[in-house]
Amino acid sequence: MDFNTLIIGAGAAGLICAAQAPGKCLVIDHAKAAGEKIRISGGGRCNFTNLYASAENYISRNPHFAKSALARYTQWDFIDWVTRSGIAYHEKTLGQLFCDTSAKEIIAMLLKGVADAGGQVQLNTAVQSVSPIDGGYAIQMSGPHGPGSVTARHLVVACGGKPIPKMGATDFALRLAQQFGIPVTHTYAGLVPFTFSGAQQEAFQTISGVAAPARLQTNGTTFEEAVLFTHRGLSGPAALQVSSYWAPGDALTLGLLSEMALRQAVRNAKETEGRKSPLTVLSRLLPARLVSLVLQDLALPERIADLTAAQLDRLAERLTKWQLTPAGTEGYRTAEVMVGGVDTSALSSKTMMAKTQPGLYFIGECVDVTGWLGGYNFQWAWSSGWVAGQAIKAQL
């Protein structure tokens, strides 16, 4: 064999895997630079993990599959590596950890890990075909470096999913899985803004750029974070989180205030400043432009003192349980993740190796394990890549 290990994809999962796999290891990627999604993540500062990462923060047909990898290589293990590498970081919100300076520090740390393990990274290299051979795999490649064909005992597929095609993302990993008879689940864009059409889109265009804390729910799953109204629809952390649980035709329930807070504010205003308008009173609790849009079709009185019980009920329904049905999402063009992927029933949770194809591993985003927003998907990349690397190391 030319190499003990060949890894397709120089992203988060592929690089950490290569850093664990000593011996002759080659990482290839069609991009011009390693770790491009790491570089652009977190506004260039890389939300590299989450303090609270556990299997409960992931979507999969088998919610138990991720437990083994996440337990064997935890967020604390990766944080320790970051700390030992002298990378300064901070917690932003909800356990999200970011580099103080640049995501490039994480990439440099990973590349040093690969080099220290004796591995090589070859960029501008695309895979043309993969074929099983006795004891391993033959990989046909194209690129300026050559050779055009190599063999490897272990083949690790770490080339991600479909999001952000302008960066070169494809469904190659899924097609390769299917080539070897490994099932793939239904896939769709996740952590992605919603789009609306017709009158609802026109209404949201008038408040584009307005953000507010909210409670957003679909299909029994709820997130309490900010929403951001855009010229095309609804974005912000809560919307991105909920999008991974949404299916076309499903409604969203948007809560902008708690019913208790709303009724208390109205009661106090009626008692002390009854001449004030509902718009004035509610704009103390929410952005005025948003309040104006919410109230425009409710036919409320000019004075808060004249608000009837029935009108307050309608107002409460709108502000606490606003029913919205998106036309769709922005799709893979802006999605942060792909939901679904290589079926976990076909993989070992301890090694990430295909059960029916010795020496073939699938790690990271291409697997049917999708994390929440906030560093969880990077942690899955670190954990799944690490266990695959350890499994390969154990066979040397």
Side-chain angles (χ1 to χ4, degrees):
M1 294 292 170
D2 295 315
F3 294 94
N4 183 62
T5 308
L6 188 138
I7 300 173
I8 304 173
L15 292 176
I16 194 172
C17 182
Q20 309 307 311
K24 294 187 68 178
C25 176
L26 175 65
V27 185
I28 62 173
D29 200 298
H30 64 267
K32 295 178 181 179
E36 281 292 85
K37 283 192 176 180
I38 300 174
R39 181 182 61 80
I40 67 170
S41 68
R45 293 193 175 182
C46 187
N47 178 194
F48 58 83
T49 193
N50 194 292
L51 294 175
Y52 308 116
S54 69
E56 287 69 36
N57 307 115
Y58 296 84
I59 304 167
S60 175
R61 282 194 178 183
N62 178 1
H64 301 291
F65 180 84
K67 290 180 178 179
S68 177
L70 291 170
R72 291 176 60 205
Y73 191 81
T74 70
Q75 58 269 43
W76 307 110
D77 294 313
F78 193 78
I79 291 167
D80 178 63
W81 190 10
V82 170
T83 301
R84 285 187 285 106
S85 299
I87 299 173
Y89 65 89
H90 61 278
E91 180 184 357
K92 193 173 180 182
T93 56
L94 303 173
Q96 301 170 27
L97 299 188
F98 289 77
C99 298
D100 282 358
T101 53
S102 172
K104 293 178 181 179
E105 292 182 296
I106 298 293
I107 299 171
M109 178 189 80
L110 292 165
L111 290 173
K112 182 178 184 301
V114 175
D116 288 348
Q120 307 170 49
V121 177
Q122 184 172 301
L123 302 169
N124 295 302
T125 302
V127 175
Q128 299 302 311
S129 67
V130 175
S131 305
I133 58 174
D134 188 25
Y137 298 87
I139 301 93
Q140 290 286 337
M141 305 181 300
S142 64
H145 304 289
S149 177
V150 296
T151 58
R153 181 182 173 196
H154 302 277
L155 179 63
V156 182
V157 183
C159 48
K162 303 175 186 178
I164 319 182
K166 70 179 182 181
M167 292 186 66
T170 71
D171 63 349
F172 176 82
L174 307 183
R175 287 185 279 114
L176 187 60
Q178 291 170 327
Q179 173 190 327
F180 285 96
I182 297 167
V184 172
T185 70
H186 170 64
T187 59
Y188 59 94
L191 300 183
V192 62
F194 289 105
T195 59
F196 288 80
S197 60
Q200 193 66 71
Q201 181 192 0
E202 292 174 7
F204 285 169
Q205 284 177 338
T206 66
I207 58 169
S208 179
V210 171
R215 185 175 187 269
L216 195 61
Q217 182 268 337
T218 194
N219 290 320
T221 299
T222 303
F223 287 93
E224 295 189 21
E225 291 188 70
V227 294
L228 171 67
F229 297 90
T230 72
H231 69 287
R232 288 172 57 81
L234 194 63
S235 188
L240 298 183
Q241 296 278 38
V242 162
S243 71
S244 295
Y245 295 85
W246 179 84
D250 289 344
L252 306 176
T253 301
L254 176 61
L256 294 166
L257 290 174
S258 72
E259 188 154 355
M260 180 180 297
L262 170 63
R263 291 184 180 274
Q264 185 65 52
V266 170
R267 186 180 306 116
N268 292 345
K270 279 191 169 191
E271 291 175 355
T272 62
E273 46 189 352
R275 294 176 178 237
K276 294 285 176 66
S277 69
L279 174 63
T280 298
V281 172
L282 294 174
S283 293
R284 297 168 184 167
L285 304 177
L286 292 167
R289 288 167 60 199
L290 175 57
V291 175
S292 181
L293 175 64
V294 167
L295 301 186
Q296 69 180 8
D297 64 340
L298 293 182
L300 301 184
E302 291 185 6
R303 303 190 322 160
I304 194 77
D306 298 329
L307 190 71
T308 67
Q311 289 171 329
L312 178 55
D313 288 343
R314 289 201 302 274
L315 179 61
E317 184 75 12
R318 173 66 58 82
L319 285 172
T320 64
K321 300 174 184 177
W322 193 1
Q323 296 296 300
L324 300 166
T325 301
T329 72
E330 295 280 2
Y332 288 118
R333 181 179 66 85
T334 61
E336 296 196 21
V337 294
M338 175 183 73
V339 184
V342 176
D343 197 327
T344 58
S345 67
L347 305 178
S348 163
S349 62
K350 292 183 173 60
T351 66
M352 305 304 295
M353 187 172 75
K355 294 177 180 177
T356 59
Q357 197 66 40
L360 180 61
Y361 303 76
F362 292 86
I363 59 177
E365 187 186 357
C366 68
V367 179
D368 177 28
V369 175
T370 306
W372 290 0
L373 183 73
Y376 297 101
N377 287 292
F378 272 127
Q379 186 56 49
W380 171 245
W382 313 138
S383 296
S384 61
W386 186 88
V387 299
Q390 291 293 308
I392 292 168
K393 181 189 295 186
Q395 296 182 53
L396 289 178

